[in-house]
Amino acid sequence: MAFSYGLLLKVVMWTIFLSYATTATSISTSHESSSEAQVLLKWKANFDYDNFKLSSWNTSTTSSPCKWFGITCNQAGSVTGINLSESFLYSKLDNFNFSSFPNLVRLSLTNSRLCGTIPAHIGALSKLTHLNLSWNYLSYKLPLALANLTQIVELDISNNYIEGELDPRLYTNWTKLTSLQLQNNSLIGNIPSPLSNLNHLNLASNRLSGTLPLALANLTQIVELDISNNDIKEIGNLRNLVHLDLSQNNLSGPILLRACTSLDTVHLQWNLFEGNITEAFGVHPNLNYIDLSYNRLYGELSPDWGKCRNLKSLQIQGNDISGAIPHELGQLIQLQDLDLDLSSNQLVGEIPIQLGNLSSLLELNLYENRLSGKVPLETGRLSNLVYIDLSRNMLSGPIPGDIGNYFSLEFLSLSNNYLNGSIPSQLGMLNMLRNLNLSHNNLSGNIPDFLNNIFRFDLSYNDLEGPIPKMAYGYYPSKAFSNNKGLCGGGGGEGFPSCFPSPGWHKVMIFVAAPLCSTMFLACVIVGFLLSRRKMTKIQIEEGTRKNGDLLSIWNYDGTIAYEDIIKATEDFDIKYCIGTGGYGSVYRAELPTGKIVALKKLNGLEGEDPAYQKSFRNEIRVLTEIRHRNIVRLHGFCSHQRCMFLVYEYMERGSLFCVLRNEIEAVELDWIKRVNIIKGVAHALSYMHHDCIPPIIHRDISSSNVLLDSKLKAYVSDFGTARLQDPDSSNQTILVGTYGYIAPELAYSMIVTEKSDVYSFGVVTLETLMGRHPGELLSSLSSSVAKTIMLKDVLDPRLSPPPDQLVAQEVISIVMLALACLRSDPRSRPTMEYVSRELVASRQRFPQPFHAISLWQLRELEM
């Protein structure tokens, strides 16, 4: 019994002890959780912005933070994760008590508008494995206290203002580190010797110099290395890499990558690499993308390139490569999406017929070499090609008829060769072709009529003869036909003799009676303006006889049918089909029996009797029937009568740029790449109007409301009611027209309109597109010292994250530079739209400073 009694006593004592211990732990955990909640709430009180995301943060100091937004806890209720990415805190880190979070494992505050320094007491997070402070305004040096983060696995402090050298004492204890992201800062000094477990290292866009450490060659785990856009001068023998980006440095010497058989992506462009390209590379079975352009490489392309079966892009332009193009390149059947660019070298011989095997190729660029022989017919199998440039070579023979199989082709340049024969009729099958350059060859015969469908072409310096097609003459600049001694047309103007004693071309006007409603008839003049552009063929007439057929075809032949379709589709312009208002009149959406959707701008009631509205109506018809460009809205037809006046346009599904930017959801869909393309489209349209039309056309009302977007968010300039033809022999004095906020300042006192007025308006629209709102008062600040304190990143649309890609960021920087030049107060100092258009498609070197460190003042002061 004594034994049993003693045993029982021990059990009771242990039960009491465990109960006490559990209670104590619970009290301790509760106290710890409460303490963490108090620290978080105290930090929140310092935020300069009342973020709705943090509404779940309870103000009660006794509550647990585990259910708060962005907070993760362990089973004991202690905080292990804080993720407030993109929360716009507008705060500092030095007023956050890191020591109160002993169990914190993950901390992510990317793009949270943090400023100031990284405080030393962040080193108290001894259990931290993941730290992300990227895309903020953090400055000064990295504190040595970061060395205490001995458990760190991934560290990202990229896209800040961090400066100074990387002290080796920082990372000596980071033995578990696998990913280090410090790109886009202002770090100086040498590249740090990487740790053995590192597999991602990104130090791009800093001011690092010197040579790459030899330790890089021994990293068996490293997958991605990006040290682009620094001042590195030497490269070692790197092995086991998958992604390598050393572009835009001052790297010299030979490229030693023969043994790097795991390579997938290689960027070595814009360096000083030299040596024989044949010796630099071996077989890379996993290689997907390689850019060696603009170095000092020489030698011939090895047939071994044909063994890189996964290669999708090969770019070696701007070197001194010689020899023939190896036919083994025809084995690269995966080459797609990107381009094969071997331009600006010394390649000789014929273009191998094996390139015809590259059925997925989109871009073939072999310009400025010494290639000879014929354009191989086999390349006609490349039906996905969008871009072909074989100019500035020594190619001879005729243009192959098989070129008509390039159904997707948009750009074709065969200029500066020795091609002969006639322009093949098969080119007329290329419905997507927009740019054609056949100049400086020995082509003969007539100019085919189908060239009217191409936006820009150059046939100069050939042996062409016969009449210049009527629509081409005056629509395209005369220089496109110059130095062809056998051409005639245009009534003897522009240096070409007249083909006939008197003009043989007349505009055709069709007068039809069409019912305005079911109870009355009014005479309505339907003008098939396309008949003034081309001769009516038998095919067109047969096409036009089909009832309820395509609007474009019917309009040429039977206006009554097209008119009846429109009246029926809109139920006699019922208000329910109205989708908005333009500069004058209302805009309707109409779906025709064919399924084609068009937009109708109709003058309402008394508007048709107002001389001012009638003038705008006629002006828009006059301008849009004379111009055609891929970024200018197309006019399909019109009805002109005092009681029945409307215009028929192609339909723009997404409406105006103005409305899209002011819709929170649609604005986010409009990412940086789409916005850049919109700006380019508007620039190309204005360049065409100012420099490719004779006489030049000034829009006079460029605004975000007059930039329309289709279903793919492609931009079209619209509303030409106030457009004006530039007359060099007149004063061009005019009344003030345009949209407030977009009008050039000189028009307020000079009243003389020039193309530089459009340039200013374009600058406003450009900033509006990037800012997501009209620049407003910012315009007046650009010329003052205030601009020194305005950072580019602070004026961009806050609904989008900063451009994540360096190339996109550089495009945004370049566009802002151009926009600021367009907004100069002196119109004479503004660039031309031709210059702007050309610069927008040119390759530009990267800005020397990180994206987040650039001010508008710096961009304004740069010479364009």
Side-chain angles (χ1 to χ4, degrees):
M1 292 294 295
F3 177 80
S4 300
Y5 176 79
L7 180 61
L8 178 61
L9 181 61
K10 289 181 180 180
V11 171
V12 171
M13 291 299 293
W14 273 107
T15 302
I16 294 173
F17 174 77
L18 292 174
S19 176
Y20 173 80
T22 302
T23 303
T25 302
S26 176
I27 294 173
S28 174
T29 302
S30 176
H31 176 75
E32 185 176 86
S33 176
S34 175
S35 174
E36 292 174 340
Q38 292 179 35
V39 172
L40 290 170
L41 291 174
K42 184 177 180 180
W43 188 40
K44 178 187 176 184
N46 291 305
F47 296 169
D48 293 334
Y49 180 74
D50 188 14
N51 196 307
F52 72 93
K53 291 183 178 181
L54 305 184
S55 58
S56 62
W57 286 28
N58 197 318
T59 56
S60 172
T61 58
T62 61
S63 63
S64 170
C66 297
K67 294 185 178 180
W68 293 359
F69 171 82
I71 305 299
T72 304
C73 297
N74 58 20
Q75 291 183 348
S78 180
V79 175
T80 58
I82 300 176
N83 186 353
L84 299 180
S85 299
E86 301 188 6
S87 293
F88 305 106
L89 306 180
Y90 292 98
S91 182
K92 297 181 179 181
L93 284 176
D94 54 9
N95 54 25
F96 184 68
N97 188 359
F98 290 104
S99 61
S100 297
F101 298 89
N103 298 310
L104 193 63
V105 176
R106 292 176 176 265
L107 176 61
S108 181
L109 300 173
T110 179
N111 195 17
S112 294
R113 303 298 197 268
L114 295 172
C115 60
T117 63
I118 300 176
H121 56 272
I122 196 173
L125 303 176
S126 59
K127 294 183 179 180
L128 200 66
T129 61
H130 293 73
L131 175 61
N132 191 337
L133 301 176
S134 62
W135 291 105
N136 282 294
Y137 309 114
L138 300 172
S139 58
Y140 199 56
K141 298 180 180 180
L142 296 177
L144 282 177
L146 287 174
N148 296 332
L149 306 182
T150 58
Q151 303 301 309
I152 196 72
V153 175
E154 294 184 5
L155 176 61
D156 189 346
I157 314 181
S158 62
N159 297 282
N160 278 284
Y161 293 90
I162 305 301
E163 58 189 36
E165 297 187 24
L166 290 175
D167 193 317
R169 292 175 294 176
L170 268 175
Y171 49 85
T172 302
N173 296 327
W174 293 347
T175 57
K176 297 182 180 180
L177 191 67
T178 62
S179 176
L180 179 60
Q181 309 282 329
L182 296 176
Q183 66 269 24
N184 290 306
N185 280 288
S186 298
L187 297 172
I188 60 175
N190 295 323
I191 301 291
S193 295
L195 300 163
S196 58
N197 289 317
L198 204 65
N199 53 45
H200 288 80
L201 175 61
N202 194 329
L203 301 172
S205 299
N206 280 284
R207 291 184 287 165
L208 300 169
S209 58
T211 63
L212 296 180
L214 294 177
L216 279 174
N218 300 321
L219 290 181
T220 58
Q221 302 295 327
I222 197 162
V223 173
E224 181 174 347
L225 174 62
D226 188 342
I227 315 180
S228 59
N229 197 19
N230 279 286
D231 193 27
I232 308 302
K233 293 183 172 58
E234 286 188 27
I235 180 174
N237 186 12
L238 302 176
R239 298 174 181 269
N240 305 309
L241 282 170
V242 175
H243 304 285
L244 174 63
D245 191 342
L246 301 175
S247 60
Q248 299 199 50
N249 280 287
N250 288 311
L251 291 165
S252 59
I255 300 175
L256 303 176
L257 295 176
R258 291 187 64 89
C260 302
T261 56
S262 298
L263 282 171
D264 174 88
T265 305
V266 178
H267 291 268
L268 299 179
Q269 67 270 24
W270 292 102
N271 277 289
L272 302 173
F273 286 122
E274 55 192 0
N276 194 317
I277 192 172
T278 308
E279 300 172 356
F281 289 90
V283 178
H284 301 277
N286 300 312
L287 192 61
N288 181 284
Y289 180 104
I290 186 166
D291 191 342
L292 304 173
S293 57
Y294 301 101
N295 280 284
R296 299 175 179 177
L297 301 173
Y298 59 87
E300 299 184 6
L301 289 177
S302 169
D304 285 345
W305 283 105
K307 298 178 182 179
C308 302
R309 299 299 176 86
N310 291 315
L311 192 62
K312 294 182 180 178
S313 177
L314 171 60
Q315 300 190 48
I316 60 171
Q317 67 269 29
N319 283 283
D320 196 24
I321 310 302
S322 59
I325 300 175
H327 65 81
E328 287 82 0
L329 290 186
Q331 300 172 11
L332 303 178
I333 59 175
Q334 297 296 321
L335 206 62
Q336 59 184 354
D337 296 334
L338 298 170
D339 56 30
L340 170 58
D341 194 338
L342 304 174
S343 60
S344 301
N345 283 289
Q346 302 296 322
L347 296 171
V348 298
E350 298 185 359
I351 300 174
I353 61 175
Q354 288 81 2
L355 292 187
N357 298 329
L358 308 179
S359 58
S360 298
L361 196 66
L362 294 179
E363 183 168 336
L364 177 61
N365 194 344
L366 301 174
Y367 81 95
E368 203 170 1
N369 281 285
R370 290 161 37 188
L371 298 168
S372 59
K374 298 181 179 181
V375 179
L377 292 177
E378 285 77 8
T379 57
R381 300 200 304 269
L382 307 179
S383 58
N384 290 314
L385 272 172
V386 174
Y387 184 103
I388 300 177
D389 193 344
L390 305 179
S391 61
R392 296 187 180 277
N393 279 285
M394 303 170 65
L395 301 173
S396 59
I399 300 174
D402 275 13
I403 206 164
N405 294 330
Y406 296 97
F407 301 116
S408 301
L409 196 62
E410 297 180 10
F411 181 100
L412 173 62
S413 180
L414 301 174
S415 66
N416 291 274
N417 280 288
Y418 299 98
L419 301 175
N420 55 35
S422 60
I423 300 175
S425 60
Q426 289 88 339
L427 281 174
M429 301 167 58
L430 304 180
N431 295 325
M432 302 297 293
L433 191 62
R434 296 295 180 266
N435 197 319
L436 174 67
N437 192 341
L438 302 178
S439 65
H440 294 85
N441 279 289
N442 299 316
L443 299 173
S444 58
N446 296 330
I447 298 176
D449 287 341
F450 66 76
L451 292 181
N452 289 341
N453 298 320
I454 301 175
F455 291 134
R456 180 173 296 181
F457 66 79
D458 190 347
L459 304 178
S460 61
Y461 293 90
N462 278 288
D463 294 320
L464 299 171
E465 58 186 359
I468 298 174
K470 175 61 177 176
M471 277 312 303
Y473 193 84
Y475 177 61
Y476 299 103
S478 59
K479 63 183 179 181
F481 309 100
S482 63
N483 294 87
N484 283 281
K485 297 180 180 180
L487 292 179
C488 61
E494 300 292 340
F496 298 103
S498 175
C499 298
F500 308 102
S502 61
W505 301 82
H506 302 281
K507 291 187 176 181
V508 181
M509 301 180 67
I510 300 178
F511 296 86
V512 298
L516 184 60
C517 60
S518 60
T519 58
M520 61 181 297
F521 289 85
L522 289 176
C524 180
V525 181
I526 303 293
V527 182
F529 71 86
L530 289 177
L531 288 178
S532 66
R533 290 178 172 266
R534 63 186 70 178
K535 296 172 68 177
M536 171 100 48
T537 64
K538 180 179 180 181
I539 295 177
Q540 287 174 313
I541 294 176
E542 292 175 351
E543 188 78 16
T545 59
R546 302 174 187 171
K547 298 295 183 180
N548 298 322
D550 184 87
L551 176 64
L552 289 171
S553 300
I554 291 174
W555 211 273
N556 287 336
Y557 182 65
D558 190 343
T560 305
I561 300 174
Y563 181 86
E564 291 175 346
D565 288 343
I566 289 172
I567 295 299
K568 183 178 180 180
T570 60
E571 299 180 30
D572 201 2
F573 294 100
D574 190 283
I575 189 64
K576 66 183 179 183
Y577 295 100
C578 184
I579 57 176
T581 58
Y584 57 91
S586 299
V587 182
Y588 296 80
R589 178 184 184 277
E591 182 174 355
L592 301 180
T594 60
K596 179 188 290 293
I597 299 176
V598 296
L600 310 168
K601 183 190 290 186
K602 182 180 184 294
L603 270 65
N604 301 317
L606 296 178
E607 286 181 341
E609 302 175 5
D610 189 322
Y613 286 123
Q614 290 181 7
K615 180 179 180 181
S616 294
F617 182 86
R618 291 192 299 270
N619 195 63
E620 187 145 14
I621 294 173
R622 179 179 61 142
V623 172
L624 288 180
T625 55
E626 294 298 328
I627 63 176
R628 180 173 52 194
H629 188 272
R630 62 185 178 276
N631 294 111
I632 294 178
V633 68
R634 180 168 296 185
L635 180 67
H636 290 323
F638 58 90
C639 177
S640 179
H641 185 275
Q642 186 174 354
R643 298 287 301 276
C644 173
M645 300 179 70
F646 61 83
L647 305 165
V648 186
Y649 304 93
E650 59 182 323
Y651 181 64
M652 297 289 127
E653 292 86 350
R654 302 303 292 269
S656 71
L657 174 62
F658 176 88
C659 292
V660 171
L661 289 175
R662 280 148 185 82
N663 183 295
E664 293 298 316
I665 297 177
E666 293 184 337
V668 173
E669 181 185 355
L670 209 62
D671 59 29
W672 294 119
I673 295 178
K674 292 185 177 70
R675 297 190 191 205
V676 166
N677 288 335
I678 286 172
I679 292 167
K680 289 181 179 180
V682 176
H684 297 334
L686 289 175
S687 175
Y688 165 79
M689 291 163 56
H690 291 180
H691 303 282
D692 293 333
C693 294
I694 302 175
I697 298 173
I698 304 173
H699 189 282
R700 298 206 297 168
D701 193 14
I702 292 295
S703 69
S704 59
S705 296
N706 289 334
V707 176
L708 303 182
L709 306 177
D710 66 9
S711 60
K712 297 181 180 178
L713 295 172
K714 177 182 176 182
Y716 296 78
V717 175
S718 70
D719 207 335
F720 287 78
T722 59
R724 178 169 179 166
L725 303 181
Q726 177 80 320
D727 186 355
D729 298 324
S730 72
S731 66
N732 291 300
Q733 196 159 4
T734 181
I735 60 173
L736 185 62
V737 297
T739 301
Y740 178 76
Y742 301 86
I743 302 174
E746 67 271 11
L747 293 180
Y749 56 84
S750 70
M751 306 300 289
I752 297 178
V753 63
T754 68
E755 72 279 358
K756 293 301 182 70
S757 307
D758 281 352
V759 174
Y760 181 90
S761 302
F762 168 79
V764 178
V765 171
T766 297
L767 286 188
E768 181 178 0
T769 304
L770 297 178
M771 295 172 63
R773 62 190 185 280
H774 189 278
E777 296 181 357
L778 177 66
L779 296 176
S780 59
S781 303
L782 295 176
S783 57
S784 67
S785 59
V786 177
K788 294 181 179 180
T789 64
I790 303 176
M791 306 305 293
L792 170 61
K793 59 182 175 54
D794 293 332
V795 301
L796 297 180
D797 194 337
R799 294 169 295 187
L800 297 182
S801 298
D805 182 85
Q806 292 182 13
L807 295 179
V808 177
Q810 182 57 44
E811 281 212 84
V812 171
I813 294 171
S814 302
I815 287 174
V816 174
M817 290 171 59
L818 288 168
L820 296 178
C822 293
L823 293 170
R824 291 169 182 163
S825 56
D826 184 356
R828 295 170 297 180
S829 66
R830 297 172 198 154
T832 64
M833 287 309 305
E834 184 177 43
Y835 175 86
V836 172
S837 177
R838 186 172 64 249
E839 286 296 297
L840 286 174
V841 297
S843 298
R844 302 177 65 88
Q845 293 199 25
R846 295 176 182 174
F847 200 75
Q849 285 184 270
F851 182 82
H852 57 268
I854 301 172
S855 69
L856 295 186
W857 180 271
Q858 291 173 294
L859 298 181
R860 190 182 73 89
E861 292 299 301
L862 286 174
E863 293 291 335
M864 298 303 299

